[in-house]
Amino acid sequence: VSACPGAPSCGAGRVPAPGDAARLAEAASRPLAAGLSLHVSGCAKGCAHPGAADLTLVGQENGCYGLVVGGTARDPAAVRLPLDEIMTLLRHASTPGDLARAIGEIAP
């Protein structure tokens, strides 16, 4: 799990990325996490992890995140969700492929 300083430490950050990353890491602490790269970015700059990750969360307004599967913080998000819903997805996915499919099913 990679995370930037996020809000309020960074003026560009829209979410408290480090705290949210810790919560997400706990939610993904099942076998799904084995080999899964997760990047939590407070904004679209992607300073903490400029490369692609299996799942990149990009901070949005109102505490939501844009979810990017297999890309960077600068890539378009497949869907925008609140943190609690993302945690539910992580808890119920058995494999990274399951996670990608679940995100695809809720994407507009």
Side-chain angles (χ1 to χ4, degrees):
V1 177
S2 301
C4 71
S9 298
C10 174
R14 296 181 174 184
V15 293
D20 289 351
R23 291 180 63 200
L24 288 160
E26 184 178 329
S29 64
R30 302 174 332 110
L32 169 66
L36 178 72
S37 59
L38 177 64
H39 175 204
V40 182
S41 184
C43 71
K45 293 189 309 182
C47 299
H49 186 80
D54 294 320
L55 182 62
T56 300
L57 283 66
V58 184
Q60 307 285 312
E61 61 278 346
N62 300 324
C64 288
Y65 282 93
L67 277 67
V68 179
V69 178
T72 72
R74 294 179 186 263
D75 291 327
V79 67
R80 182 175 170 244
L81 295 171
L83 181 65
D84 290 339
E85 289 184 37
I86 297 167
M87 291 176 58
T88 298
L89 285 174
L90 287 171
R91 284 187 189 113
H92 290 97
S94 298
T95 67
D98 287 346
L99 180 61
R101 279 187 293 283
I103 292 168
E105 288 174 6
I106 57 175

